Amino acid sequence: MNALHFALAYRQEPRCPVFLNGMIHEEFSDDGYDRPMQYDWHYAPGNAPLADLPPELWLIAKNRAYDFDFHSSFGGQVVSGEFLSLMRSTETGSWQAAKLHAVSTKGRRISAKDYFFVKFPRAELLKAEEVVDLERSRIDFRKDGQIKKVWELRFRKPVERDLFFVDCPSLLDIAFCSERFADAARRFGPRGIEFVGLPDVGAVQGA
């Protein structure tokens, strides 16, 4: 029997917004919320690799307060220090992390938690054709054979990662994890997320 895997789904809780209403910059400025993120670690033309993250970044936001532990946004993941510690102590592949100062547009800190911005390089994403069991999953396909919508998901074999992403447009917004990772996370009670079994992945909003 295959090992259990879970999708990280968004869970509505106080100070855990569904949308992070802000911008990430390399330094704080009064107009940071209104300026686009034009950095080579955020966007690279064509198939060029992204640059490395700088040591520290600033999330300049209009949300009043944060208390979540994991949120996919800005082409990466915003995670709490406790969640990052769990990532470091389990098998999660290669990724980069920058200290993230979460502040208001006036520069006031908006969370008691320490945050980090994490990016997984494209090469670390697992190939859908190697991971997804197309016969046992319930999937809608486009005319060109590409995956359009995943309603129920099954993996072909146990994944040797505790936290991972699948390189498929329909699944890129969803992080997946092992049972071991989910159990360890539940022990510290992460806010803003819940762990949902793969058969229900079509009904979840990624955390």
Side-chain angles (χ1 to χ4, degrees):
M1 182 177 178
N2 283 353
L4 290 178
H5 294 90
F6 298 89
L8 276 65
Y10 170 73
R11 179 173 63 196
Q12 185 175 2
E13 294 186 80
R15 299 179 298 284
C16 301
V18 67
F19 171 65
L20 300 188
N21 186 14
M23 291 286 181
I24 293 180
H25 290 292
E26 295 182 351
E27 59 185 11
F28 175 78
S29 64
D30 292 336
D31 64 343
Y33 174 83
D34 298 309
R35 290 191 292 109
M37 296 168 55
Q38 297 177 328
Y39 304 102
D40 53 7
W41 49 261
H42 177 64
Y43 173 77
N47 293 319
L50 295 174
D52 291 343
L53 291 175
E56 296 189 13
L57 292 167
W58 295 78
L59 170 55
I60 303 169
K62 286 191 174 181
N63 303 107
R64 296 183 63 183
Y66 288 150
D67 193 32
F68 61 87
D69 285 281
F70 180 93
H71 198 298
S72 292
S73 192
F74 310 108
Q77 287 72 45
V78 178
V79 305
S80 67
E82 200 158 13
F83 196 96
L84 187 73
S85 294
L86 178 57
M87 290 177 61
R88 285 174 170 158
S89 65
T90 53
E91 179 52 57
T92 54
S94 298
W95 40 267
Q96 295 183 8
K99 182 176 178 60
L100 186 66
H101 303 275
V103 299
S104 70
T105 56
K106 302 297 184 183
R108 179 182 61 84
R109 183 168 176 163
I110 57 176
S111 178
K113 292 181 176 179
D114 292 328
Y115 283 112
F116 297 83
F117 183 58
V118 174
K119 284 188 75 73
F120 285 79
R122 183 70 181 269
E124 286 294 303
L125 308 185
L126 304 186
K127 297 183 183 302
E129 60 270 22
E130 296 178 1
V131 176
V132 177
D133 188 329
L134 298 179
E135 293 183 358
R136 296 173 58 231
S137 301
R138 187 160 67 92
I139 298 173
D140 290 344
F141 292 91
R142 303 184 189 277
K143 292 183 179 180
D144 61 1
Q146 297 297 313
I147 294 176
K148 178 181 179 181
K149 170 69 177 179
V150 178
W151 297 99
E152 295 181 10
L153 191 62
R154 298 288 191 281
F155 290 148
R156 296 175 58 185
K157 59 184 180 180
V159 178
E160 297 180 357
R161 293 276 181 88
D162 287 306
L163 182 71
F164 58 93
F165 294 84
V166 178
D167 192 1
C168 169
S170 300
L171 297 172
L172 276 180
D173 291 335
I174 300 177
F176 297 94
C177 74
S178 66
E179 184 175 23
R180 179 176 76 145
F181 190 95
D183 288 344
R186 290 188 185 108
R187 285 197 284 272
F188 78 80
R191 291 178 51 80
I193 64 173
E194 58 183 333
F195 299 93
V196 177
L198 298 189
D200 298 319
V201 72
V204 307
Q205 176 176 344

